[in-house]
Amino acid sequence: MALTEETLEDKIEVVGDYKAVQVRTATVIKRDGTEISRSFHRHVLQCSTKTDDTWADTDISGESAEVQAICNAVWTDAVKTAYQTAMDAQETP
């Protein structure tokens, strides 16, 4: 009886006006090649992050090549500017 564990990105979605990239990762446990368990983890990437009033592009170097390619395709300068403007407007009292 051999147990194996496999992790895969089984869903990548682009959502909303500011092109948030949602990544769902499945962890699959198999016994003798037959799936006996599957669990999910999801994380969301925004195009920019703000630290001490300074905007920077989100670091996606730790993401898979597929996720990086999607982010680079959808996160245009116009999307980044629109996102940053919208987030800054929410901070204004």
Side-chain angles (χ1 to χ4, degrees):
M1 172 169 58
L3 288 177
T4 59
E5 180 177 321
E6 177 184 20
T7 302
L8 58 124
E9 291 175 340
D10 69 334
K11 187 180 285 192
I12 303 170
E13 303 171 304
V14 178
V15 181
D17 293 336
Y18 308 118
K19 310 302 183 206
V21 176
Q22 297 184 124
V23 182
R24 186 175 81 174
T25 304
T27 302
V28 181
I29 308 295
K30 294 181 180 180
R31 179 184 300 133
D32 297 327
T34 301
E35 183 177 319
I36 60 172
S37 173
R38 181 179 290 247
S39 60
F40 300 102
H41 170 79
R42 182 180 295 269
H43 66 280
V44 179
L45 301 165
Q46 298 290 352
C47 59
S48 300
T49 57
K50 188 174 186 180
T51 305
D52 298 325
D53 292 329
T54 303
W55 284 102
D57 290 349
T58 298
D59 179 10
I60 55 173
S61 62
E63 301 296 330
S64 69
E66 184 177 13
V67 171
Q68 288 181 31
I70 291 168
C71 291
N72 290 328
V74 300
W75 291 348
T76 63
D77 288 340
V79 168
K80 292 174 190 177
T81 299
Y83 175 74
Q84 294 166 5
T85 301
M87 294 303 103
D88 285 341
Q90 288 182 4
E91 293 178 6
T92 305

